[in-house]
Amino acid sequence: MCGIIGYLGKKNAADEVFCGLQRLEYRGYDSAGAAVLSADGKISVVKKQGRVDNLKPYLKDIAGATGIGHTRWATHGKPSDANAHPHVAGGIALVHNGIIENYAELKSALEACGETFLSETDSEVIAKLLSKNFKGDLICALAETVKVLKGSYALMAICEGNNSIAVAKYRSSVILGYGENEYFCASDEPALAGKCKEICVLDDGDIACITPDGIEIYNGNLQRIIREKKPNTGAEQSLDLGGYPHYMLKELHEIPVAVENTAKAFEGVSAKLKSALNGVDRIILVGCGTAYHAGLAGKRYFEQFARVPAECDTAGEFRYKNPVITERTAVFAVSQSGETADTVEAARLARGLGAKVIAVTNVLNSALTRIADVTVPVSAGPEICVAATKSYIGQITALYLCAVGFAKNGSNGNCAFADGLEAMPKLCKKTLAQVNTYSLANMCALSSGVYFLGRDIDYAVALEGSLKLKEVSYIHSEGYPAGELKHGTLALIDENAVAVALIFDETLAGKTVCAVEQVLSRGGKAAVITNVESVKKALSGRALVLETCACGKFLSPLVSAIAVQKLAYETAVILGRDPDKPRNLAKSVTVE
Ligand code: F6R
């Protein structure tokens, strides 16, 4: 959700900013821009609608060793050159990630004083305020400006005639990076991986001033404060496609390693988790989008393995429903990025109400990990494709292990339900090689809508299959409990519709086959993704049967998810979509 980057050093700032923007592009690709301060203290700005690469030809025109940049996911104002950041007012250029909730009233007040605006953004209001408050000291102007802002912001600003970058943060993340005679600031840690020796994570309300002499950090009253520096251990995120045509396909092939590494990393936190969950009698899982779907699988694991009441909510709903929480409640906040605004705020709320908060995330040092009592790492590695694939499967792996661990410690637990995870990396590899989704992808590409059906844990994956398909192919899709189709949605089934049933639980297979029969008898096309032999016999010749390898019911989401992810990828490619950067979307949704 918008990525921002700043550089101050001795190198060409435009190149450094461009490199940072490429790494941050998954946060938005509606427009990109950069502002550079030249040696004679002048600011030059370039900004273009569209992807970061569009900036490249213009960067040679802006020279200097201090700069800031922005890649945008549009919230206020359509994607356009004018709405692209940086926004300039007076001699100040500013980039912003977040949302200013009171921008309309601030804008009206500025307009009443004769200010005119070039963009429809909330961010330009901040640039105007900064310029108005500037009396020769950028940090003082910034401290004054943020006092009137309501909402969320990560801000970076440069000012003509002053070699510094001013930074402010509230509810949108900012990381500072310390290199050899050079300094960085960025929206997230992966953007700085491999760039500097040490990093420091700013807290809400912090203001930082980066100059050639170093970085000073202040509170809102401009009193100096110290924030802990940490070694920058992040592995440099390779933008290399490794021979694959898309990151989505590359990341699908990284799933076996993600499962293996997540299981290994769990060993390091299981004791801490055990002690945090001591006495817990209720589990709530929260997340957004794909992470919410992982939570739905997690809910089943906790219920089935530990026989503990478990609920799963989208983080945005959880926040506003006045949730029932006691100190015996554990809230698992699931998030690839650890920065999703609703998930972070849900975790903060739960913590405030006395719950134990467990972060299940792919990004250590993210906002979520700073709120949580315990972080359970999803060690999927950097995920560049906007559509989550390996991180989803890593989340399911992590939640599975958490539930098994919890069951082992409890009195009601029944770990006999749980299948061994050890074989899963191999099974995932086999599934990637064997499951053939190409014919089904062609069928989906020609369809008017695709309905994913499943029962119990298959339903959790059906929801994810539907999300993945619509997200990367733009085909209408819904995920349904197999038993629900006949209660209304069956009216949408005709010869142009496709139903995809997931059947991985032998005991429920007959019931889900009935739902497939209902689709076939209304002239719809149907496919099943299954490892249940009887399903193949019942439907072969009438429905497309995609066989996957055998595995226990509770680990089947790892296998069925790979199949639906591959299906979504192939459908997108058949339709000529870019699966890595679906329209209108961004990874890491840091606005509410
Ligand atoms: C879909 C997808 C999104 C994210 C959601 C939450 O492929 O990636 O639905 O799952 O935006 O993001 P995180 O997991 O970073 O909190």
Side-chain angles (χ1 to χ4, degrees):
M1 208 85 327
C2 298
I4 60 175
I5 177 94
Y7 173 81
L8 186 151
K10 300 207 181 306
K11 296 182 189 145
N12 181 343
D15 289 345
E16 293 300 315
V17 165
F18 181 72
C19 168
L21 291 181
Q22 283 183 309
R23 289 156 173 241
L24 290 166
E25 193 172 17
Y26 68 83
R27 298 173 74 103
Y29 31 85
D30 287 329
S31 64
V36 165
L37 191 70
S38 64
D40 60 358
K42 294 274 176 286
I43 289 178
S44 345
V45 176
V46 288
K47 45 189 198 171
K48 291 282 157 215
Q49 182 180 343
R51 298 192 176 175
V52 169
D53 271 346
N54 292 355
L55 270 188
K56 184 112 193 165
Y58 304 93
L59 292 176
K60 60 179 177 352
D61 303 332
I62 56 171
T66 298
I68 53 175
H70 186 275
T71 179
R72 178 168 187 247
W73 182 79
T75 58
H76 296 64
K78 59 185 183 301
S80 68
D81 287 359
N83 287 333
H85 300 217
H87 293 287
V88 178
I92 293 172
L94 169 107
V95 291
H96 167 220
N97 169 32
I99 285 190
I100 303 306
E101 288 161 10
N102 59 338
Y103 90 99
E105 66 189 77
L106 294 170
K107 189 170 180 174
S108 303
L110 286 162
E111 280 169 336
C113 298
E115 292 288 350
T116 54
F117 287 81
L118 299 172
S119 79
E120 303 149 289
T121 64
D122 52 342
S123 313
E124 194 184 2
V125 170
I126 314 173
K128 294 279 186 198
L129 285 170
L130 252 182
S131 154
K132 223 172 151 47
N133 289 326
F134 183 70
K135 308 275 181 291
D137 186 329
L138 188 58
I139 286 295
C140 290
L142 188 59
E144 215 40 46
T145 300
V146 296
K147 279 184 191 153
V148 301
L149 303 180
K150 289 196 183 121
S152 59
Y153 52 81
L155 302 171
M156 294 171 193
I158 56 174
C159 167
E160 284 195 345
N162 181 338
N163 190 15
S164 67
I165 304 176
V167 182
K169 175 223 145 57
Y170 186 75
R171 298 269 160 108
S172 291
S173 61
V174 179
I175 314 290
L176 303 175
Y178 300 76
E180 291 279 345
N181 297 320
E182 60 181 1
Y183 304 96
F184 298 84
C185 42
S187 295
D188 62 28
E189 217 178 317
L192 298 186
K195 282 278 165 193
C196 50
K197 285 189 179 148
E198 289 182 309
I199 55 163
C200 159
V201 181
L202 288 187
D203 256 355
D204 281 345
D206 288 358
I207 290 175
C209 181
I210 306 177
T211 69
D213 299 327
I215 304 181
E216 294 291 354
I217 305 174
Y218 305 93
N219 65 15
N221 298 322
L222 291 186
Q223 288 158 329
R224 226 172 253 179
I225 50 174
I226 306 286
R227 293 272 171 241
E228 188 198 350
K229 285 191 208 165
K230 303 175 192 174
N232 185 12
T233 51
E236 191 155 357
Q237 174 177 310
S238 167
L239 294 177
D240 180 12
L241 277 162
Y244 291 97
H246 297 102
Y247 291 113
M248 184 169 180
L249 189 60
K250 177 176 183 251
E251 287 162 7
L252 269 162
H253 283 271
E254 288 167 353
I255 287 171
V257 177
V259 172
E260 201 170 338
N261 287 348
T262 301
K264 266 190 213 146
F266 185 78
E267 288 167 20
V269 294
S270 64
K272 202 167 169 205
L273 183 68
K274 178 179 168 188
S275 108
L277 296 184
N278 192 23
V280 160
D281 62 6
R282 198 162 137 252
I283 303 285
I284 300 177
L285 301 107
V286 295
C288 297
T290 292
Y292 163 66
H293 294 157
L296 289 173
K299 163 186 153 68
R300 282 156 177 87
Y301 293 149
F302 277 103
E303 285 173 343
Q304 297 309 314
F305 302 164
R307 304 308 294 164
V308 60
E311 298 155 44
C312 181
D313 261 323
T314 61
E317 283 301 303
F318 174 82
R319 288 177 66 190
Y320 302 112
K321 70 172 203 184
N322 191 10
V324 179
I325 301 249
T326 71
E327 69 282 1
R328 290 166 75 90
T329 307
V331 172
F332 283 72
V334 186
S335 170
Q336 186 283 130
S337 61
E339 298 290 347
T340 298
D342 277 327
T343 310
V344 170
E345 292 313 315
R348 206 188 303 279
L349 171 74
R351 179 104 203 227
L353 293 170
K356 283 278 173 332
V357 174
I358 318 299
V360 178
T361 181
N362 198 27
V363 182
L364 303 179
N365 289 324
S366 55
L368 196 56
T369 63
R370 296 196 292 281
I371 294 167
D373 295 279
V374 180
T375 295
V376 175
V378 171
S379 299
E383 193 175 58
I384 298 173
C385 175
V386 164
T389 52
K390 59 177 181 169
S391 66
Y392 167 66
I393 294 188
Q395 287 162 355
I396 292 180
T397 305
L399 290 171
Y400 178 92
L401 291 165
C402 292
V404 171
F406 187 69
K408 278 187 184 155
N409 297 328
S411 50
N412 299 330
N414 187 353
C415 279
F417 276 120
D419 318 298
L421 189 63
E422 311 75 42
M424 278 325 282
K426 260 197 194 142
L427 268 181
C428 292
K429 221 174 193 165
K430 206 164 154 195
T431 307
L432 278 162
Q434 280 181 355
V435 70
N436 185 347
T437 47
Y438 194 68
S439 304
L440 180 54
N442 274 299
M443 209 155 128
C444 292
L446 293 172
S447 74
S448 58
V450 180
Y451 301 87
F452 286 83
L453 308 174
R455 284 178 195 271
D456 192 33
I457 205 149
D458 289 336
Y459 168 53
V461 183
L463 287 173
E464 177 57 12
S466 162
L467 177 64
K468 208 86 321 173
L469 183 78
K470 74 178 89 159
E471 178 181 17
V472 297
S473 74
Y474 318 152
I475 294 170
H476 175 73
S477 177
E478 293 178 38
Y480 261 92
E484 277 292 299
L485 191 70
K486 57 187 175 292
H487 294 290
T489 304
L490 201 55
L492 293 177
I493 299 295
D494 61 14
E495 64 282 4
N496 299 315
V498 174
V500 179
L502 307 182
I503 309 180
F504 286 81
D505 183 344
E506 203 154 7
T507 60
L508 301 174
K511 301 273 182 214
T512 307
V513 167
C514 280
V516 175
E517 296 287 6
Q518 289 155 20
V519 170
L520 289 171
S521 60
R522 267 87 189 164
K525 297 184 181 68
V528 282
I529 303 176
T530 186
N531 61 7
V532 177
E533 197 55 34
S534 61
V535 173
K536 198 174 137 193
K537 283 202 190 112
L539 292 170
S540 276
R542 296 185 301 127
L544 194 59
V545 179
L546 276 61
E547 277 186 88
T548 69
C549 31
C551 67
K553 160 181 167 173
F554 291 108
L555 286 175
S556 69
L558 281 70
V559 169
S560 56
I562 290 175
V564 294
Q565 290 172 348
K566 209 171 157 192
L567 171 65
Y569 172 74
E570 283 172 350
T571 310
V573 172
I574 289 166
L575 289 170
R577 318 287 192 221
D578 177 352
D580 291 338
K581 293 192 177 72
R583 69 182 180 203
N584 304 338
L585 300 182
K587 220 171 172 71
S588 197
V589 184
T590 56
V591 295
E592 296 170 53

